[in-house]
Every structure is written in C-alpha cells, then in structure tokens.
Amino acid sequence: MTNDKLNITIRIAGQKPVALKINRADEERVRNAEYQVNRLWSHWLERFPEKNSTEVLAMVAYQFAELYFAANAVSEETGKVLEGFEKDLDRMLHGIEGASSGNVSD
C-alpha cells in the first residue's frame, strides 16, 4: 500500500520554513503556489524599495486573496449559467420525449 501523504517544507518570502503534510497528488500545486508567491514577493520587493519585506508580503497576500475571490465569483456565476442551461436542456428533452410518446400512443 502506498502512502498518499507527503511531508514537504516550503519557504515563503524568506520566512522560516513551514512543514506541511499534503496529499501526494497536490505536490505540484503546492510547489507552484510557493513559487508564484515568492516570485511576486521578490519582484515587488525590488519594485517598492521603500517598503519592508513584511509590507510587501502583505501586498502579495492581498493580491492573491483578491484573485482567489474574483475566481470564486466567476466560478459561482459559471455554475449558475450551467444550472440554467441544464434546466433548459431538461425541459427541451422532456418536451421531445413527451411528443415522441404522444405519437406512439395514437
């Protein structure tokens, strides 16, 4: 039996390493998140030299939170559109089935 959990360590913005126990299947996503946060933090640290590391990290956290909530809103709206589409499709299919069964009984 294989172990589905993996112990990894990530480091964000030069802070102390953080030990995580994650699903093995999630490693690429977790590593990518670490990389993207550190990449943006490094870029903004250079771009905003008047800000300290903690202030820049707060800006990065805000940016990712804003992106998360924007993506979540789009996902919810997409779900509503798909739900409406599914209802319309069901009505159309039930109409076709009703018309077909009506012709058979004649």
Side-chain angles (χ1 to χ4, degrees):
M1 176 183 257
T2 61
N3 185 359
D4 291 325
K5 296 291 184 177
L6 183 65
N7 293 316
I8 66 169
T9 302
I10 63 169
R11 183 177 219 128
I12 302 291
Q15 299 297 308
K16 291 180 183 177
V18 177
L20 300 173
K21 188 172 195 167
I22 63 170
N23 290 324
R24 192 171 294 275
D26 295 335
E27 183 180 13
E28 184 177 352
R29 182 177 46 81
V30 171
R31 298 276 187 206
N32 187 40
E34 174 191 26
Y35 171 78
Q36 296 299 334
V37 168
N38 284 326
R39 188 175 71 85
L40 186 57
W41 173 76
S42 294
H43 176 71
W44 282 1
L45 204 55
E46 291 176 11
R47 186 174 169 201
F48 302 103
E50 73 282 1
K51 304 236 181 252
N52 68 38
S53 178
T54 304
E55 291 172 313
V56 173
L57 185 55
M59 292 166 51
V60 169
Y62 171 79
Q63 180 69 44
F64 278 94
E66 184 179 12
L67 288 169
Y68 169 81
F69 286 109
N72 195 42
V74 168
S75 178
E76 287 179 7
E77 187 59 33
T78 300
K80 289 177 185 174
V81 169
L82 289 174
E83 186 178 313
F85 176 74
E86 185 178 12
K87 286 179 182 176
D88 290 345
L89 186 58
D90 283 345
R91 276 193 293 268
M92 290 181 350
L93 290 175
H94 287 303
I96 291 171
E97 289 172 3
S100 296
S101 64
N103 289 340
V104 172
S105 63
D106 286 338

